[in-house]
Each structure stands twice: as structure tokens, then as C-alpha cells.
Amino acid sequence: MSNTSNKIESIIEELSKLTPLELKEIKEKLEEKWGVSAAAMPTIVPGSASNAAQPDAEKPAEKTEFTVTLKEFDSKLKMSLIKKIKGDGLVENIIAAKNLVEKTPAVLKEGIPKDEAEKIKKEIEA
């Protein structure tokens, strides 16, 4: 193994000892230092944007119920995502959260107001 590979393995070993919150802090500091954005965040779609292209005269009544769907996520963030889904009360236990994440795309919550859908989206993406 080369010296560079040993260095990388050592860093990975040290990172493996950190908590998710510590890892998040490292990610944020690296993003800030390098001016980049790390891995893609989960894509959450509250409701539908199908009405956006229609002129005002043809728009149907504004949608009042929305569905929050987990479409995709970075596999590196799987455990964090499971904890967020459980913590937000979207499911009863950690096993249900794990099963939900593993069957992505999955409906997280449906028939909810727009503000609640946006709140869930924001919490999951944080």
C-alpha cells in the first residue's frame, strides 16, 4: 500500500469513530473552506408542480393537500435520514423508518397542508 493510501485509510478510520453530528460539522466546515457543496441531499417533493406552467385564467383551484415523497438520497446519509424520519414522528419506530428508506421512492406523509409538507422537506434535507 502506498503512503497516500495509508494516510487515507488512517483518516477514514478516525472519521469512523465520530458521531453523526461531528461528521456533519466536519462536512459543513469543509464546504465553507473549499466553497463547495458535499453529497446530494435527499430529494423531497411536496405535492406537484404541474400547475406552474398554466396561465392564471386556466389554473384550477389551488391544491390544499400535499404528499411528501422521498425520491432519492445519498447512501452515505442513510443512517442520518433514518434517524430524522423517526425523530420527526413520521413513523412509529426505527425499524419502520429503516424499511421506509430502503423502499425509496416512498411516501413519507400524505394529505397534509402545504406548510407542513414544506416543514417536513426542510427538516429531512437539513
Side-chain angles (χ1 to χ4, degrees):
M1 219 184 255
S2 73
N3 198 14
T4 304
S5 294
N6 288 336
K7 187 184 231 183
I8 291 171
E9 288 299 319
S10 172
I11 291 170
I12 290 171
E13 192 62 36
E14 289 301 310
L15 289 173
S16 298
K17 297 174 186 175
L18 299 176
T19 67
L21 288 175
E22 292 169 323
L23 291 170
K24 181 181 179 196
E25 185 176 340
I26 288 173
K27 176 187 131 322
E28 289 169 353
K29 290 192 184 274
L30 289 174
E31 286 176 335
E32 183 180 310
K33 179 177 176 111
W34 295 333
V36 298
S37 178
M41 297 306 293
T43 303
I44 306 290
V45 181
S48 167
S50 63
N51 294 337
Q54 295 180 0
D56 289 338
E58 296 178 20
K59 277 190 179 179
E62 189 171 320
K63 193 171 182 178
T64 58
E65 291 187 350
F66 293 82
T67 300
V68 179
T69 305
L70 175 65
K71 296 230 177 197
E72 61 183 20
F73 63 94
D74 184 337
S75 61
K76 295 175 186 171
L77 302 173
K78 181 178 178 180
M79 195 63 200
S80 172
L81 183 60
I82 290 170
K83 289 177 181 178
K84 286 180 182 180
I85 290 172
K86 167 60 176 99
D88 288 344
L90 298 172
V91 294
E92 293 181 20
N93 57 48
I94 199 81
I95 302 296
K98 177 182 177 281
N99 292 338
L100 188 73
V101 168
E102 288 178 347
K103 70 173 189 169
T104 300
V107 173
L108 298 179
K109 200 159 186 184
E110 56 189 347
I112 58 175
K114 183 177 183 177
D115 59 333
E116 185 178 345
E118 288 175 346
K119 179 182 174 196
I120 291 171
K121 176 184 177 196
K122 186 176 181 180
E123 289 172 357
I124 296 294
E125 289 181 339

